[in-house]
Amino acid sequence: MWAAGNLPETTKIVDICHDDCVQILAAAAAVLTLISGPTPPAEFGSDWDDPRTAAPPVTAPHAPSCSTTIVDTEFRDFTPYRSNYEPVCKGPWQKVVLRLEGSVAGRQYDRLGYLTVGGVTVFKTSTPEPSVDGITWSVEKDLTEYSALLAKPQPIEMLIGNVVDDTYTGILDVTVKLTFYRGKAPVAPDVLPLGQAIPRNTEKLFADVYATGSGGGCEEFWYLTVPDDVAYSCLADDGPYREVQITIDGRVAGIAAPYPHIYTGGWSNPFMWYVLPAPRAFDIQPIRYDLTPFAGLLTDGKVHDITVDVVGVPEGQSGWDVPTALLAWRDAGSKQVTGKLLGTTATPLRNNSTYAAPTLTTTGGHSLAVTGYVDTSHGRVTTTVGRTVANTSTHTWNADETQDALDAVWTDTSRTTVTAGRSRPSTTTISRRYALDGAVTIDSDNRLTTTISLTDAVTKPGRKILDTYEGEASWLLGVPRDQRHATGVSTERYRVWQPGPDYDHTIRVVNGTVVIDRFNG
């Protein structure tokens, strides 16, 4: 064979090895493209790749399955889609998976949506913003814990409120399918909306609260609000500290830190999120509360006042949505469970914001511990639920808000101890940490730049999740869309440590083109 240094100038390697070499080089080129990804454009054009996330899909068991479509519609306005669900897939089921598939083209804002089954919210989402040529996207959610709702006919309602006119032309075409996998799972036999009596033999009670600050006002960016006596565009009495509280008959029964959701038009820069949305934007996860210490007070067959409020929101201010589902487990050997609330201890709620131009520093936090018991057919079960939340943030801006930056951290740790009869106590701890470090600047050329770093970390027994996001995007203000010269780079890495194979997925997007979509390890 020719040595490379001795080849005539006009000779190509493919001329030497002919067809075999062409196949080899084609395969090598394909591998290089897989490793390095396609070459991105110098800036955003009128089209970009379909949105995606690095989060894992719902794991499907190896079992017979059956699927049914429960939503197939277009959202053009604020008219809910309604239908009747029929349980065509025979149970019992070990897993139920919801899959939303959507498409939209033209121009449209990000929109929030919900899905209810039997009046209970089971799914909450926000939408991507489209390109002119159009995009498709999908979302999966494990609905197994809500499967009791699906065992009988139920009314279905879904709404993704939308505006379609000569300017905002994007019509949201959405289908939702449920896939049922045969088998058994230890799920709650009752899933209820607020305003109903819980079963008399309830021995364990949870609440799922889908809390979001939204609506396009200041509460969508609640973590950037400042006290009323400080000069800034978003005011909120005592500043940015928020806490989601659930009360039962006027008593605080649970506290939690809200997640700082960012939707796909957030932080003044849709170019950041067109292809790679922020964590939890497509699948808005609920805050879960363990209300079991109160269960013995709620089994009298009456409807009790269970309310969710967001501490820190100015009185009369709208912008928070907190639909709530109750999950109740019954004592099969008892017609009625009785019990008692033994005690509640709490630290004073801390919420301190100090302004020293140009920076607002906020620290806040709260702790709550509740203990109660239920007398069941298998003995007395005592439950203590403790939760501690905290928030620190540093918010810096200049007079005209052309420089605006936030560095904030939220922590939320819950600890549940259950003592059944003379058994040794069993304690479960869940730790959550959310971090947001971002800035928006507008320079002398009227170019807006957003930089952001996000962390979503949750540690449970036997499982740790770490979802990180880094991005920077910029565009020229005050010009037609095709003259914005927008650029953006974003990277998400989602990792799960768990029994069995770990999960590690990285996606990197440059100017609307996915250049890395890699499973590590």
Side-chain angles (χ1 to χ4, degrees):
M1 179 176 284
W2 291 88
N6 296 325
L7 290 175
E9 287 186 359
T10 57
T11 303
K12 300 176 182 178
I13 294 177
V14 293
D15 292 332
I16 300 170
C17 54
H18 304 292
D19 293 342
D20 290 341
C21 215
V22 170
Q23 293 176 7
I24 294 170
L25 289 173
V31 171
L32 287 172
T33 299
L34 181 63
I35 294 172
S36 60
T39 301
E43 59 184 41
F44 270 88
S46 61
D47 194 21
W48 43 83
D49 286 347
D50 289 333
R52 66 203 66 192
T53 77
V58 178
T59 303
H62 296 289
S65 65
C66 168
S67 297
T68 183
T69 298
I70 61 171
V71 176
D72 187 356
T73 192
E74 292 180 341
F75 291 105
R76 300 168 175 262
D77 52 27
F78 286 81
T79 302
Y81 169 87
R82 294 188 175 97
S83 67
N84 293 309
Y85 163 80
E86 294 291 337
V88 297
C89 297
K90 185 178 180 181
W93 312 297
Q94 61 175 299
K95 182 158 284 190
V96 181
V97 180
L98 174 151
R99 182 176 176 85
L100 177 149
E101 294 184 350
S103 63
V104 60
R107 186 178 180 186
Q108 195 52 265
Y109 283 130
D110 51 328
R111 304 296 186 181
L112 272 174
Y114 66 82
L115 171 68
T116 66
V117 178
V120 178
T121 297
V122 300
F123 177 61
K124 201 171 182 182
T125 188
S126 68
T127 63
E129 296 195 10
S131 65
V132 173
D133 294 340
I135 57 170
T136 63
W137 80 101
S138 62
V139 191
E140 286 189 347
K141 179 176 180 177
D142 188 340
L143 282 193
T144 308
E145 291 189 302
Y146 298 148
S147 59
L149 287 170
L150 304 169
K152 58 184 178 181
Q154 297 278 18
I156 297 286
E157 179 175 301
M158 186 172 189
L159 175 62
I160 304 177
N162 197 15
V163 173
V164 177
D165 55 25
D166 292 341
T167 301
Y168 301 104
T169 58
I171 299 168
L172 297 163
D173 190 349
V174 172
T175 62
V176 178
K177 181 175 72 174
L178 300 180
T179 300
F180 300 81
Y181 296 87
R182 290 292 300 276
K184 292 185 178 181
V187 298
D190 297 281
V191 182
L192 308 167
L194 297 183
Q196 289 190 13
I198 69 169
R200 289 178 177 269
N201 59 342
T202 296
E203 63 176 351
K204 184 169 73 170
L205 183 66
F206 288 172
D208 281 355
V209 178
Y210 291 83
T212 53
S214 56
C218 286
E219 286 303 307
E220 181 173 339
F221 308 101
W222 49 269
Y223 40 76
L224 286 169
T225 60
V226 307
D228 287 343
D229 58 355
V230 178
Y232 187 70
S233 56
C234 277
L235 305 178
D237 290 350
D238 298 322
Y241 182 80
R242 299 290 183 273
E243 180 178 298
V244 185
Q245 292 189 354
I246 188 165
T247 61
I248 297 177
D249 295 334
R251 298 181 180 181
V252 177
I255 61 175
Y259 185 81
H261 295 100
I262 300 177
Y263 310 117
T264 56
W267 280 67
S268 304
N269 213 320
F271 297 98
M272 180 83 75
W273 323 108
Y274 276 145
V275 178
L276 198 59
R280 304 198 192 195
F282 286 175
D283 180 12
I284 295 172
Q285 300 170 29
I287 299 170
R288 172 155 289 185
Y289 299 85
D290 189 338
L291 303 180
T292 305
F294 282 81
L297 303 182
L298 305 177
T299 55
D300 56 3
K302 299 178 181 179
V303 176
H304 290 260
D305 182 20
I306 302 178
T307 305
V308 178
D309 295 296
V310 182
V311 173
V313 179
E315 186 175 354
Q317 172 70 53
S318 62
W320 280 87
D321 184 40
V322 289
T324 302
L326 297 177
L327 294 85
W329 284 260
R330 299 191 189 201
D331 174 14
S334 174
K335 291 184 177 181
Q336 182 172 3
V337 167
T338 58
K340 184 178 181 181
L341 182 67
L342 295 175
T344 298
T345 59
T347 63
L349 190 152
R350 296 178 294 107
N351 180 13
N352 301 308
S353 288
T354 303
Y355 181 65
T359 300
L360 180 77
T361 302
T362 297
T363 59
H366 196 191
S367 292
L368 175 71
V370 183
T371 301
Y373 70 81
V374 286
D375 287 325
T376 72
S377 63
H378 47 88
R380 175 166 293 185
V381 180
T382 303
T383 303
T384 298
V385 178
R387 198 153 184 171
T388 298
V389 299
N391 167 225
T392 60
S393 69
T394 303
H395 182 186
T396 303
W397 67 96
N398 62 357
D400 61 1
E401 298 180 24
T402 55
Q403 298 180 26
D404 200 347
L406 177 73
D407 187 0
V409 174
W410 297 262
T411 58
D412 182 336
T413 301
S414 59
R415 184 172 288 106
T416 302
T417 300
V418 178
T419 305
R422 297 182 178 180
S423 301
R424 297 184 63 180
S426 173
T427 299
T428 301
T429 301
I430 301 175
S431 299
R432 311 161 190 84
R433 182 181 184 273
Y434 318 131
L436 190 165
D437 186 356
V440 176
T441 61
I442 302 174
D443 65 18
S444 58
D445 294 326
N446 212 27
R447 189 168 184 83
L448 183 148
T449 299
T450 303
T451 58
I452 208 156
S453 174
L454 306 170
T455 300
D456 180 4
V458 180
T459 301
K460 303 179 180 181
R463 184 178 173 88
K464 179 181 178 181
I465 300 170
L466 178 60
D467 190 1
T468 57
Y469 191 109
E470 303 279 343
E472 180 175 319
S474 66
W475 55 287
L476 194 61
L477 296 170
V479 298
R481 294 173 69 87
D482 60 356
Q483 298 175 29
R484 290 177 175 177
H485 299 293
T487 60
V489 178
S490 53
T491 304
E492 182 186 16
R493 185 178 184 187
Y494 196 111
R495 285 172 280 181
V496 182
W497 295 267
Q498 59 192 354
D502 293 335
Y503 178 90
D504 190 347
H505 188 189
T506 298
I507 299 177
R508 182 173 176 84
V509 178
V510 178
N511 298 336
T513 298
V514 176
V515 297
I516 294 175
D517 191 342
R518 179 181 66 224
F519 290 90
N520 309 298

mmCIF file of all heavy atoms in Angstrom, residues 184-211:
data_model
loop_
_atom_site.group_PDB
_atom_site.id
_atom_site.type_symbol
_atom_site.label_atom_id
_atom_site.label_comp_id
_atom_site.label_asym_id
_atom_site.label_seq_id
_atom_site.Cartn_x
_atom_site.Cartn_y
_atom_site.Cartn_z
ATOM 1 N N LYS A 184 -49.691 -6.172 40.080
ATOM 2 C CA LYS A 184 -50.171 -5.517 41.287
ATOM 3 C C LYS A 184 -49.137 -4.536 41.813
ATOM 4 O O LYS A 184 -47.933 -4.773 41.723
ATOM 5 C CB LYS A 184 -50.511 -6.544 42.364
ATOM 6 C CG LYS A 184 -51.723 -7.409 42.032
ATOM 7 C CD LYS A 184 -52.089 -8.326 43.193
ATOM 8 C CE LYS A 184 -53.327 -9.148 42.872
ATOM 9 N NZ LYS A 184 -53.707 -10.034 44.005
ATOM 10 N N ALA A 185 -49.620 -3.437 42.382
ATOM 11 C CA ALA A 185 -48.762 -2.436 43.009
ATOM 12 C C ALA A 185 -49.427 -1.974 44.298
ATOM 13 O O ALA A 185 -50.663 -1.869 44.355
ATOM 14 C CB ALA A 185 -48.532 -1.255 42.072
ATOM 15 N N PRO A 186 -48.654 -1.693 45.336
ATOM 16 C CA PRO A 186 -49.231 -1.271 46.626
ATOM 17 C C PRO A 186 -49.624 0.204 46.607
ATOM 18 O O PRO A 186 -48.944 1.063 47.175
ATOM 19 C CB PRO A 186 -48.090 -1.541 47.610
ATOM 20 C CG PRO A 186 -46.846 -1.370 46.791
ATOM 21 C CD PRO A 186 -47.182 -1.836 45.404
ATOM 22 N N VAL A 187 -50.726 0.514 45.924
ATOM 23 C CA VAL A 187 -51.136 1.910 45.762
ATOM 24 C C VAL A 187 -52.304 2.232 46.686
ATOM 25 O O VAL A 187 -52.976 1.346 47.207
ATOM 26 C CB VAL A 187 -51.536 2.182 44.298
ATOM 27 C CG1 VAL A 187 -50.348 1.956 43.379
ATOM 28 C CG2 VAL A 187 -52.715 1.317 43.880
ATOM 29 N N ALA A 188 -52.526 3.528 46.855
ATOM 30 C CA ALA A 188 -53.651 3.976 47.677
ATOM 31 C C ALA A 188 -54.968 3.576 47.008
ATOM 32 O O ALA A 188 -55.160 3.844 45.815
ATOM 33 C CB ALA A 188 -53.590 5.487 47.863
ATOM 34 N N PRO A 189 -55.883 2.977 47.753
ATOM 35 C CA PRO A 189 -57.167 2.593 47.147
ATOM 36 C C PRO A 189 -58.109 3.764 46.931
ATOM 37 O O PRO A 189 -59.138 3.609 46.267
ATOM 38 C CB PRO A 189 -57.743 1.604 48.158
ATOM 39 C CG PRO A 189 -57.135 1.987 49.464
ATOM 40 C CD PRO A 189 -55.761 2.489 49.142
ATOM 41 N N ASP A 190 -57.781 4.931 47.487
ATOM 42 C CA ASP A 190 -58.634 6.105 47.329
ATOM 43 C C ASP A 190 -57.780 7.311 46.969
ATOM 44 O O ASP A 190 -56.805 7.631 47.670
ATOM 45 C CB ASP A 190 -59.408 6.395 48.612
ATOM 46 C CG ASP A 190 -60.367 5.276 48.986
ATOM 47 O OD1 ASP A 190 -61.449 5.214 48.392
ATOM 48 O OD2 ASP A 190 -59.994 4.455 49.851
ATOM 49 N N VAL A 191 -58.153 7.969 45.877
ATOM 50 C CA VAL A 191 -57.522 9.219 45.466
ATOM 51 C C VAL A 191 -58.646 10.237 45.320
ATOM 52 O O VAL A 191 -59.556 10.053 44.502
ATOM 53 C CB VAL A 191 -56.740 9.063 44.154
ATOM 54 C CG1 VAL A 191 -56.064 10.382 43.787
ATOM 55 C CG2 VAL A 191 -55.708 7.943 44.269
ATOM 56 N N LEU A 192 -58.575 11.299 46.102
ATOM 57 C CA LEU A 192 -59.721 12.194 46.261
ATOM 58 C C LEU A 192 -59.321 13.648 46.045
ATOM 59 O O LEU A 192 -58.189 14.053 46.359
ATOM 60 C CB LEU A 192 -60.295 12.071 47.679
ATOM 61 C CG LEU A 192 -60.619 10.659 48.175
ATOM 62 C CD1 LEU A 192 -60.868 10.696 49.678
ATOM 63 C CD2 LEU A 192 -61.826 10.107 47.444
ATOM 64 N N PRO A 193 -60.251 14.470 45.565
ATOM 65 C CA PRO A 193 -60.031 15.910 45.572
ATOM 66 C C PRO A 193 -60.322 16.484 46.950
ATOM 67 O O PRO A 193 -60.930 15.805 47.805
ATOM 68 C CB PRO A 193 -61.037 16.415 44.540
ATOM 69 C CG PRO A 193 -62.177 15.449 44.657
ATOM 70 C CD PRO A 193 -61.551 14.111 44.961
ATOM 71 N N LEU A 194 -59.906 17.707 47.183
ATOM 72 C CA LEU A 194 -60.312 18.384 48.410
ATOM 73 C C LEU A 194 -61.825 18.564 48.418
ATOM 74 O O LEU A 194 -62.472 18.622 47.370
ATOM 75 C CB LEU A 194 -59.621 19.745 48.522
ATOM 76 C CG LEU A 194 -58.095 19.741 48.634
ATOM 77 C CD1 LEU A 194 -57.575 21.164 48.800
ATOM 78 C CD2 LEU A 194 -57.632 18.865 49.795
ATOM 79 N N GLY A 195 -62.394 18.634 49.631
ATOM 80 C CA GLY A 195 -63.838 18.843 49.738
ATOM 81 C C GLY A 195 -64.644 17.571 49.851
ATOM 82 O O GLY A 195 -65.880 17.625 49.826
ATOM 83 N N GLN A 196 -63.974 16.426 49.962
ATOM 84 C CA GLN A 196 -64.678 15.168 50.184
ATOM 85 C C GLN A 196 -64.233 14.560 51.504
ATOM 86 O O GLN A 196 -63.099 14.763 51.950
ATOM 87 C CB GLN A 196 -64.392 14.173 49.051
ATOM 88 C CG GLN A 196 -65.040 14.524 47.727
ATOM 89 C CD GLN A 196 -64.921 13.395 46.719
ATOM 90 O OE1 GLN A 196 -64.573 12.271 47.060
ATOM 91 N NE2 GLN A 196 -65.213 13.693 45.468
ATOM 92 N N ALA A 197 -65.130 13.816 52.117
ATOM 93 C CA ALA A 197 -64.772 13.088 53.333
ATOM 94 C C ALA A 197 -63.860 11.925 52.982
ATOM 95 O O ALA A 197 -64.064 11.249 51.972
ATOM 96 C CB ALA A 197 -66.025 12.584 54.021
ATOM 97 N N ILE A 198 -62.855 11.704 53.815
ATOM 98 C CA ILE A 198 -61.991 10.560 53.574
ATOM 99 C C ILE A 198 -62.642 9.313 54.178
ATOM 100 O O ILE A 198 -63.481 9.421 55.090
ATOM 101 C CB ILE A 198 -60.576 10.771 54.152
ATOM 102 C CG1 ILE A 198 -60.597 10.765 55.676
ATOM 103 C CG2 ILE A 198 -59.954 12.047 53.621
ATOM 104 C CD1 ILE A 198 -59.209 10.700 56.287
ATOM 105 N N PRO A 199 -62.312 8.133 53.686
ATOM 106 C CA PRO A 199 -62.928 6.905 54.225
ATOM 107 C C PRO A 199 -62.714 6.765 55.734
ATOM 108 O O PRO A 199 -61.662 7.149 56.269
ATOM 109 C CB PRO A 199 -62.216 5.795 53.450
ATOM 110 C CG PRO A 199 -61.767 6.441 52.181
ATOM 111 C CD PRO A 199 -61.422 7.850 52.547
ATOM 112 N N ARG A 200 -63.678 6.188 56.422
ATOM 113 C CA ARG A 200 -63.614 6.070 57.882
ATOM 114 C C ARG A 200 -62.480 5.163 58.362
ATOM 115 O O ARG A 200 -62.022 5.301 59.503
ATOM 116 C CB ARG A 200 -64.947 5.541 58.420
ATOM 117 C CG ARG A 200 -66.094 6.551 58.343
ATOM 118 C CD ARG A 200 -67.379 5.938 58.852
ATOM 119 N NE ARG A 200 -68.489 6.880 58.866
ATOM 120 C CZ ARG A 200 -68.818 7.652 59.897
ATOM 121 N NH1 ARG A 200 -68.090 7.594 61.012
ATOM 122 N NH2 ARG A 200 -69.841 8.472 59.824
ATOM 123 N N ASN A 201 -62.036 4.243 57.518
ATOM 124 C CA ASN A 201 -60.972 3.339 57.953
ATOM 125 C C ASN A 201 -59.615 3.714 57.366
ATOM 126 O O ASN A 201 -58.737 2.879 57.186
ATOM 127 C CB ASN A 201 -61.317 1.886 57.604
ATOM 128 C CG ASN A 201 -61.534 1.672 56.116
ATOM 129 O OD1 ASN A 201 -61.758 2.620 55.363
ATOM 130 N ND2 ASN A 201 -61.464 0.412 55.690
ATOM 131 N N THR A 202 -59.418 5.002 57.103
ATOM 132 C CA THR A 202 -58.122 5.479 56.600
ATOM 133 C C THR A 202 -57.071 5.387 57.698
ATOM 134 O O THR A 202 -57.272 5.890 58.811
ATOM 135 C CB THR A 202 -58.240 6.929 56.102
ATOM 136 O OG1 THR A 202 -59.142 6.959 54.982
ATOM 137 C CG2 THR A 202 -56.889 7.487 55.698
ATOM 138 N N GLU A 203 -55.940 4.760 57.389
ATOM 139 C CA GLU A 203 -54.851 4.654 58.361
ATOM 140 C C GLU A 203 -53.599 5.420 57.938
ATOM 141 O O GLU A 203 -52.691 5.634 58.743
ATOM 142 C CB GLU A 203 -54.489 3.195 58.602
ATOM 143 C CG GLU A 203 -53.966 2.454 57.397
ATOM 144 C CD GLU A 203 -53.547 1.031 57.740
ATOM 145 O OE1 GLU A 203 -53.500 0.693 58.930
ATOM 146 O OE2 GLU A 203 -53.278 0.260 56.797
ATOM 147 N N LYS A 204 -53.535 5.843 56.661
ATOM 148 C CA LYS A 204 -52.407 6.648 56.168
ATOM 149 C C LYS A 204 -52.936 7.624 55.144
ATOM 150 O O LYS A 204 -53.782 7.276 54.319
ATOM 151 C CB LYS A 204 -51.329 5.737 55.553
ATOM 152 C CG LYS A 204 -50.081 6.494 55.112
ATOM 153 C CD LYS A 204 -48.929 5.548 54.768
ATOM 154 C CE LYS A 204 -49.149 4.836 53.464
ATOM 155 N NZ LYS A 204 -47.926 4.103 53.014
ATOM 156 N N LEU A 205 -52.427 8.862 55.184
ATOM 157 C CA LEU A 205 -52.977 9.909 54.328
ATOM 158 C C LEU A 205 -51.859 10.809 53.815
ATOM 159 O O LEU A 205 -51.062 11.333 54.597
ATOM 160 C CB LEU A 205 -53.999 10.744 55.106
ATOM 161 C CG LEU A 205 -54.717 11.853 54.337
ATOM 162 C CD1 LEU A 205 -55.616 11.268 53.251
ATOM 163 C CD2 LEU A 205 -55.546 12.715 55.302
ATOM 164 N N PHE A 206 -51.818 10.972 52.498
ATOM 165 C CA PHE A 206 -50.876 11.889 51.856
ATOM 166 C C PHE A 206 -51.654 12.956 51.094
ATOM 167 O O PHE A 206 -52.823 12.760 50.738
ATOM 168 C CB PHE A 206 -49.970 11.165 50.851
ATOM 169 C CG PHE A 206 -48.926 10.268 51.468
ATOM 170 C CD1 PHE A 206 -48.159 9.437 50.648
ATOM 171 C CD2 PHE A 206 -48.690 10.230 52.833
ATOM 172 C CE1 PHE A 206 -47.193 8.604 51.181
ATOM 173 C CE2 PHE A 206 -47.727 9.401 53.385
ATOM 174 C CZ PHE A 206 -46.979 8.582 52.551
ATOM 175 N N ALA A 207 -50.981 14.077 50.811
ATOM 176 C CA ALA A 207 -51.521 15.110 49.924
ATOM 177 C C ALA A 207 -50.458 15.462 48.894
ATOM 178 O O ALA A 207 -49.286 15.646 49.237
ATOM 179 C CB ALA A 207 -51.937 16.349 50.702
ATOM 180 N N ASP A 208 -50.869 15.539 47.629
ATOM 181 C CA ASP A 208 -50.008 16.010 46.546
ATOM 182 C C ASP A 208 -50.492 17.377 46.103
ATOM 183 O O ASP A 208 -51.648 17.526 45.671
ATOM 184 C CB ASP A 208 -50.048 15.050 45.356
ATOM 185 C CG ASP A 208 -49.182 13.819 45.554
ATOM 186 O OD1 ASP A 208 -48.473 13.758 46.577
ATOM 187 O OD2 ASP A 208 -49.214 12.920 44.690
ATOM 188 N N VAL A 209 -49.622 18.383 46.196
ATOM 189 C CA VAL A 209 -49.982 19.754 45.865
ATOM 190 C C VAL A 209 -49.148 20.206 44.668
ATOM 191 O O VAL A 209 -47.916 20.267 44.742
ATOM 192 C CB VAL A 209 -49.757 20.695 47.057
ATOM 193 C CG1 VAL A 209 -50.092 22.136 46.662
ATOM 194 C CG2 VAL A 209 -50.598 20.258 48.255
ATOM 195 N N TYR A 210 -49.821 20.523 43.571
ATOM 196 C CA TYR A 210 -49.156 20.981 42.345
ATOM 197 C C TYR A 210 -49.052 22.505 42.380
ATOM 198 O O TYR A 210 -49.824 23.218 41.741
ATOM 199 C CB TYR A 210 -49.927 20.516 41.117
ATOM 200 C CG TYR A 210 -49.867 19.029 40.884
ATOM 201 C CD1 TYR A 210 -50.725 18.159 41.545
ATOM 202 C CD2 TYR A 210 -48.943 18.487 40.003
ATOM 203 C CE1 TYR A 210 -50.667 16.783 41.331
ATOM 204 C CE2 TYR A 210 -48.874 17.113 39.780
ATOM 205 C CZ TYR A 210 -49.742 16.271 40.451
ATOM 206 O OH TYR A 210 -49.676 14.919 40.238
ATOM 207 N N ALA A 211 -48.093 23.012 43.138
ATOM 208 C CA ALA A 211 -47.990 24.449 43.395
ATOM 209 C C ALA A 211 -47.120 25.131 42.341
ATOM 210 O O ALA A 211 -45.958 24.763 42.151
ATOM 211 C CB ALA A 211 -47.395 24.692 44.783
#
